[in-house]
Each structure stands twice: as C-alpha cells, then as structure tokens.
Amino acid sequence: GAYSLSYHLHVCTLIHQVKNTTKDKTIKFLAPTPELWTKSLPHRTQILYNPDISMVLMLLNVSPGSRIVEAGTGSGSLTHSLARAIAPHGHVFTFDFHQSRVDTAKKEFVKHKISKIVTCQCGDVCESGFPLPASNSALVDGVFLDLPKPWLAIGHVCKVLRPGGGLVTFSPCIEQIQRTAEGLRDSGCFIDIRTLECLERSLDVVDGITESAMLDPPAQETTGTTEAKQHTSTAECNADSEMGQAAGAKRSRMSEESSSARLAGTIAMANSRDSLLRDPLSGSAVVSGQWTQEAGHTGFLLHAVFVPSSNPASSGGNVDVAAGQHLAEQ
C-alpha cells in the first residue's frame, strides 16, 4: 500500500545517510510510527510537522479516551498522532470539505488500522458545523482547526466542545490569528487566549570536533575569499530583510537542507584538521553541532479554553456564529 511504499522510501533514505555519513554500517529497522508517517506521507495539502503536532497534543491535553474534533483532515498528518494519543477508547472526528481528500484519507486509515477510532467526514464546518454521529454525539474534549477562516467556525465549536475543553487553530499568517482571536473575544466564551510559534533546532554530539574547529575558517582560505564571503553574507541578510518587509507577517517555509551533506562536511573538516580537534588529555573531544532540522513550514498556533458561563447571553451559540459572520464580512 501507499503507507508501506512511503515507509520503504523513507527507510532507504536513512540507509543512504548512514552509508555516507557514519563509520558504523549497522542498519536498525524500526516499526512505523506517526512521526515517520508525517515525514514520508504523500502530500495532498500542506501539513503539520512534529514540532507543531506535539504542541497541539499538549495544548489540547490529549490522552487515552479523549474525544477530539479536527478540521480539516488534509493529508492526515495530525490525525495519525491524535489517533495514537486517544487510543484505545477515545475517538477522533475529522472533517474536510474536499471529497477526494476524504476518500483517500479513509483508505489510509483502514490500511493503518485506525479506522475504528477515526471518523472522517466531508463537509464545510464553517457552514454546517460538526455533525457528530448520533451514536457518538457527546461533547468533545478538544477541537483543532486548520482552516483558511477559522473564525467562521467559532460558533459551531461552542456547540460541540465541553466546558473547560481546549481549542487550537493553526494558521500560516498572523492576520488569520488576529481575526480568530477577535472572534474568540467577541464570543465571550473563551479565556486564556494566546498565540505560539514552534521552531526546532536539533543538535548532535560529534566525536572529535571542537567548537573552534567548527567556527573557524579553514587554514587555506585566503583573506580575499573570507571578505568575499562576508560581503555575500551581508548581501543575503539585506535581501532577506527586504523580503521579510515585503511579505509582512507571512512566513516562508523553512528550508529543508540536507542533514547528511551537512554532517559529511563537518566530518570532512574534522579529518582535514585532526591535529586541532583532539583534547590533549583524552585525545578526543565531544561538542554539540547542528545536525538535523525538522522539515516544515512556519505557522502560528492559537490556543483558548472554552468557558461558556462567562457570557450567559451566548447560550445556544447564536451570538458566537453571528460574531464569526460579522468578522468574515469585514
């Protein structure tokens, strides 16, 4: 199936990295996990990556037995992690307005044996809300929204979320976060409204490489070359600054630089400057050097807690829906 093929390709990539970057040629095969699926799944949409996924699970306080609503399903990246977290007695209700994406996701959920705890439906939640199955219609513990206009769904969220439950939205633009926060405040039903951004920078412990060796330019590099690099770096910084101003609050995707090439270059530097890399006492040195960077595009997470009693006038969710529609017309 698609899952097996994608996992096989991911494992082949790892084998290639091991063969080209380490002296140890031992290969260890691990069982498929939601984290590996996130890294190897076929992209039907932009997806959430592991740093944001872990934060979503924490903010929604997801645990075995939790009932979670997700919209939209997209490529199913987050859905797999939610399913593992709520198993075996919880349930994930996931919605997407695109029928073909829903059909593909359903097939994947069956192949991955999570279809019993994941219900996937097609629909526009901003218009029709979250129609839960009649046999499983109790209030849910958390709601996650990855929508172009999440503020339009606030009123419907109030109808399915239990008091004290959490709401998290993911948006690539800060303007979306601002309008959603306005909608939450106007509804009078949410507290603890806050925005987070998750960025990951991993470090690897490398034997025989000192910090000075990693930072200092190679000995054979000429002054002219160094000055040229500094000039290029300054130009790149200026260009980045101009692009950032033009883009405003929009965030570009994080570059997916090859970790294997990066480590190979570090090892090559170590081999070429071996005399500078050894501790005079132990004969070796171990320091932290940048190794991998989680692939992903930068986005913002907005979190809030549902407390309907804070606005008695909003019973039934009618006030909330009106607030969302009012924001959409602005």
Side-chain angles (χ1 to χ4, degrees), residues 24 26 69 94 102 114 129 135 260 291 300 315:
D24 183 6
T26 302
V69 163
T94 182
V102 170
I114 60 174
S135 60
S260 60
W291 167 216
F300 301 96
S315 60

Side-chain angles (χ1 to χ4, degrees), residues 145-191:
L145 303 178
D146 184 0
L147 305 170
K149 298 179 180 180
W151 54 89
L152 293 181
I154 292 175
H156 299 298
V157 169
C158 296
K159 297 177 182 179
V160 299
L161 186 59
R162 67 168 176 80
L167 167 67
V168 173
T169 72
F170 178 86
S171 300
C173 301
I174 196 64
E175 292 87 353
Q176 295 168 296
I177 293 294
Q178 290 172 334
R179 298 187 69 175
T180 304
E182 290 176 9
L184 294 174
R185 285 192 291 266
D186 291 344
S187 74
C189 294
F190 290 89
I191 62 173

